[in-house]
Amino acid sequence: MKSEVMLYEGKAKQIYATDNEKVVLMKYKDDATAFDGLKKGVINNKGIVNNRVSNLLFKLLENEGIETHLIEQIDDRNVLVKNLKIIPVEVVVRNVVAGSLAKRIGEEEGLTLSSTIIELYYKDDELHDPMINEYHARVMGWATDEQLKELHAQAHKINDILKAFYDSIGIILVDFKLEFGLYEGRVILGDEISPDTCRLWDKESLEKLDKDRFRRDLGKEEEAYQEVVQRIEKALA
Ligand code: UDP
């Protein structure tokens, strides 16, 4: 089914054409980048973990009525997904203050928010993914009003499902990033949900089990990623 035609190569994944134009193959790499690509490295087996974690979480979401791009995992690193027209707006969902929010509002990391914050960023590497609001997205034609409404509704629902699931396996879902795309006129969830795109803290020790270990040189990245996939598999597989 996979062709040799690579349609796109991102920092952590490659996308290949298949013999069906409505389907693409996504291949997860071990390459890790941070700070707009300034820091580069490898986390061994990261691609395998992210493929597994993302597919298990997408299946969980599908069972709860959220449509995702997932079709079928092919092997360790490869998954067939629906070929979406990606909406160039990254949706960040936050339950606890961390990362760029901590800096922006001058708060310590770790403060639990009284309710969920959703932020939008324009997906553009050259511009370093600037934060935007709904006006920018609508006026610039990146998403319609209706699509923005749908993005927000789905982001809240996804957060409710994932926060409860992670809590059940002893992990705090601090924040995460989502990408959506259009498929047959519908707004559906794409990209990945993995320790690369989420902040995940152990509920007891508050130990970081996500890409911040790489960003902040904390070490034991591979072990943290394995810990996440093992807890998820124990609960879901
Ligand atoms: N995130 C991501 N890709 C991005 C930017 C952010 O997956 O291009 C995720 C990040 O892993 C974290 C959440 O979105 O879980 C919020 O990130 P933040 O705005 O704090 O930015 P960062 O830590 O990347 O500076």
Side-chain angles (χ1 to χ4, degrees):
M1 185 141 196
K2 174 181 166 185
S3 73
E4 291 312 310
V5 184
M6 186 162 54
L7 301 174
Y8 173 80
E9 175 151 30
K11 294 173 199 130
K13 296 190 288 292
Q14 297 168 336
I15 306 285
Y16 290 89
T18 69
D19 50 22
N20 179 348
E21 65 174 26
K22 297 187 88 173
V23 176
V24 289
L25 185 113
M26 212 161 73
K27 179 181 180 131
Y28 283 84
K29 305 187 284 182
D30 286 349
D31 299 345
T33 62
F35 312 119
D36 257 336
L38 285 177
K39 178 172 174 158
K40 289 193 176 71
V42 166
I43 301 174
N44 290 328
N45 300 315
K46 173 173 85 78
I48 296 173
V49 170
N50 286 355
N51 189 28
R52 185 86 177 123
V53 166
S54 202
N55 297 336
L56 285 169
L57 295 180
F58 278 14
K59 261 185 232 157
L60 173 78
L61 292 170
E62 291 267 0
N63 290 340
E64 301 282 341
I66 301 279
E67 187 177 1
T68 77
H69 69 165
L70 176 67
I71 297 174
E72 188 191 0
Q73 183 170 331
I74 297 299
D75 58 30
D76 276 7
R77 291 180 183 274
N78 293 287
V79 58
L80 287 176
V81 297
K82 295 169 191 158
N83 188 7
L84 308 189
K85 185 174 181 291
I86 288 289
I87 296 171
V89 174
E90 297 189 347
V91 180
V92 167
V93 183
R94 301 182 181 275
N95 299 307
V96 176
V97 173
S100 72
L101 178 65
K103 287 203 187 108
R104 193 176 318 115
I105 62 172
E107 273 289 347
E108 292 277 317
E109 287 200 317
L111 175 76
T112 299
L113 296 164
S114 57
S115 68
T116 306
I117 289 179
I118 296 200
E119 296 168 352
L120 305 180
Y121 293 85
Y122 178 41
K123 193 172 151 63
D124 186 308
D125 280 343
E126 273 180 32
L127 298 176
H128 314 295
D129 296 349
M131 193 180 188
I132 57 164
N133 65 28
E134 290 182 47
Y135 285 87
H136 299 109
R138 194 180 58 241
V139 174
M140 297 314 296
W142 300 325
T144 64
D145 247 347
E146 203 182 322
Q147 289 162 358
L148 289 165
K149 223 186 256 173
E150 187 66 30
L151 287 187
H152 276 91
Q154 288 199 35
H156 278 289
K157 192 165 173 201
I158 291 165
N159 185 42
D160 290 344
I161 297 164
L162 294 185
K163 201 167 69 163
F165 171 68
Y166 270 115
D167 183 70
S168 77
I169 58 169
I171 290 175
I172 302 169
L173 178 58
V174 171
D175 57 30
F176 58 100
K177 187 255 311 177
L178 299 171
E179 292 185 29
F180 293 89
L182 297 173
Y183 186 78
E184 295 173 347
R186 303 186 300 280
V187 174
I188 72 173
L189 179 64
D191 196 48
E192 66 180 287
I193 304 182
S194 72
D196 265 14
T197 64
C198 302
R199 285 197 170 89
L200 305 168
W201 295 355
D202 180 82
K203 221 158 74 173
E204 300 293 320
S205 65
L206 298 184
E207 195 187 351
K208 297 182 198 315
L209 301 173
D210 56 62
K211 200 167 128 184
D212 271 348
R213 301 206 72 83
F214 170 76
R215 293 189 188 100
R216 302 178 187 191
D217 290 321
L218 301 175
K220 296 208 167 138
E221 295 94 341
E222 195 183 341
E223 289 85 342
Y225 277 61
Q226 292 294 342
E227 177 70 25
V228 173
V229 73
Q230 279 164 19
R231 287 199 211 180
I232 293 177
E233 281 186 333
K234 206 168 152 209
L236 290 182

